[in-house]
Amino acid sequence: MSEWPIRVILAQPRGFCAGVERAIDIVERALALYGPPVYVRHEIVHNGHVVEGLRARGARFVDEVDEIPNGAVTIFSAHGVSMAVETMARARDLRVIDATCPLVTKVHREGRRYAANGFDVILIGHKGHAEVDGTIGQIGGTVHLVSSVADVMDLRPCDPDRVAYVTQTTLSVDDAHEIIKALVARFPRIVGPHVNDICYATQNRQVAVRELAQRVDVVLVVGAANSSNSNRLREIGAGMGKPCYLIGDAGAIDTAWFDGVSSVGITAGASAPEVLVSGVVDHLASLRPIRLETLSGVIENVRFRLPYELDPNRVA
């Protein structure tokens, strides 16, 4: 490749959010306190590098709680679980530590409140995503899942005047806004949170990648293929008319992407560790001289409390 320098710009913010940091911290503290093995239902967060690192330290990841020995220390992932999973865990006398992101828990509470007041609840989200499955299973009552404006037209609530909506936390803010507009147009009396109730970290990263795409020739999004928020970042970058690639790590880079390119932007999904971003930067530096800079942007200072069982003020 050419030896002329390439400008590499990092998005701000990028990478881990407070909910992900909390979830990983929960697994690490549980391993230190109780010793391995500690069982985790599903991936603690959607990133294979994080999962493998915790597995090496003694975490065991399972698909369902019936794979866990009775009485074992068990952690629910950041995406949340259904009430049926909670019931099954109690039946097996599992020592559960809940790593559900507090912002996901907030959606659960809102949905249950609407359902308890006799509303059909519309969940805006992606079918099959762990957070969506958990939220549907937490709300109870009648829940309708919509993923697009087209889905809105197929809705048949019990009472069109008693309809409410909640949202998956990792949606595209723009897509969610369009779906909410369609819901309001069809059900004028619908109630629900403002689109700004979508996770602060999701919004901040989407704003940052939009600015990033305006300044560079190519955008790289570091994140896992099954990470909803990482996929939304790639879609936004591509929607800005720039080649935008979702990569798990530096090993997924194709050098042909940078032929004739003078600038590359890098961001990372909320479950992607900064070490992977550093690896991408180092890889680019091995191909061509780079000029590295970081966009100005939101500095996130959000922190969520740990569960009572792992509170450092309580546990020696």
Side-chain angles (χ1 to χ4, degrees):
M1 295 185 68
S2 169
E3 288 300 313
W4 48 272
I6 189 169
R7 187 180 179 207
V8 177
I9 306 178
L10 303 179
Q12 173 64 38
R14 62 183 182 277
F16 281 176
C17 63
V20 166
E21 289 178 341
R22 175 180 180 270
I24 295 170
D25 194 15
I26 285 171
V27 179
E28 292 174 340
R29 287 176 180 269
L31 285 166
L33 181 63
Y34 301 110
V38 165
Y39 292 83
V40 184
R41 183 183 181 274
H42 292 176
E43 294 184 339
I44 185 68
V45 296
H46 282 158
N47 189 276
H49 292 269
V50 171
V51 168
E52 289 307 311
L54 294 171
R55 180 178 281 121
R57 297 173 62 176
R60 295 187 183 176
F61 295 87
V62 300
D63 291 328
E64 298 299 341
V65 294
D66 60 9
E67 302 171 51
I68 303 172
N70 288 353
V73 175
T74 302
I75 297 173
F76 292 154
S77 79
H79 312 101
V81 301
S82 67
M83 288 187 285
V85 171
E86 293 176 345
T87 299
M88 193 180 304
R90 285 194 296 270
R92 298 180 65 83
D93 197 28
L94 301 180
R95 302 175 64 182
V96 171
I97 303 171
D98 190 358
T100 301
C101 174
L103 298 181
V104 174
T105 300
K106 178 183 176 184
V107 174
H108 295 173
R109 287 198 301 266
E110 290 174 338
R112 285 196 297 267
R113 176 169 57 85
Y114 291 134
N117 286 319
F119 288 81
D120 277 23
V121 179
I122 298 168
L123 171 58
I124 305 171
H126 298 289
K127 184 178 181 179
H129 189 275
E131 180 186 331
V132 167
D133 291 344
T135 299
I136 291 173
Q138 281 285 338
I139 292 175
T142 302
V143 182
H144 308 268
L145 178 64
V146 299
S147 302
S148 66
V149 170
D151 291 341
V152 173
M153 307 316 297
D154 296 329
L155 289 170
R156 297 293 183 270
C158 298
D159 182 350
D161 289 332
R162 293 190 66 77
V163 180
Y165 70 84
V166 293
T167 67
Q168 181 181 338
T169 62
T170 52
L171 296 176
S172 159
V173 174
D174 290 342
D175 289 350
H177 182 69
E178 290 304 309
I179 293 171
I180 292 169
K181 280 174 53 179
L183 287 169
V184 171
R186 183 152 182 226
F187 307 110
R189 299 188 67 179
I190 195 169
V191 295
H194 192 276
V195 70
N196 286 344
D197 264 22
I198 290 175
C199 165
Y200 78 93
T202 295
Q203 294 187 73
N204 289 345
R205 281 151 188 74
Q206 290 179 11
V207 169
V209 77
R210 196 179 300 279
E211 180 179 354
L212 184 68
Q214 294 175 343
R215 297 171 178 254
V216 297
D217 300 320
V218 173
V219 177
L220 303 179
V221 178
V222 182
N226 63 338
S227 165
S228 177
N229 73 86
S230 298
N231 277 285
R232 302 296 81 74
L233 294 177
R234 189 207 63 77
E235 290 170 359
I236 291 170
M240 298 287 291
K242 299 296 173 68
C244 189
Y245 304 99
L246 176 61
I247 57 174
D249 55 30
I253 289 175
D254 183 343
T255 56
W257 296 341
F258 312 121
D259 290 344
V261 165
S262 63
S263 57
V264 176
I266 304 173
T267 189
S271 51
E274 182 67 13
V275 65
L276 298 182
V277 174
S278 298
V280 171
V281 172
D282 291 344
H283 185 79
L284 293 177
S286 74
L287 302 175
R288 278 163 56 178
I290 67 170
R291 298 197 307 272
L292 183 64
E293 57 187 272
T294 301
L295 286 180
S296 60
V298 174
I299 304 298
E300 295 174 343
N301 297 310
V302 177
R303 296 292 181 270
F304 294 134
R305 293 184 61 177
L306 291 167
Y308 177 73
E309 303 93 325
L310 301 177
D311 187 335
N313 295 319
R314 170 180 175 270
V315 177

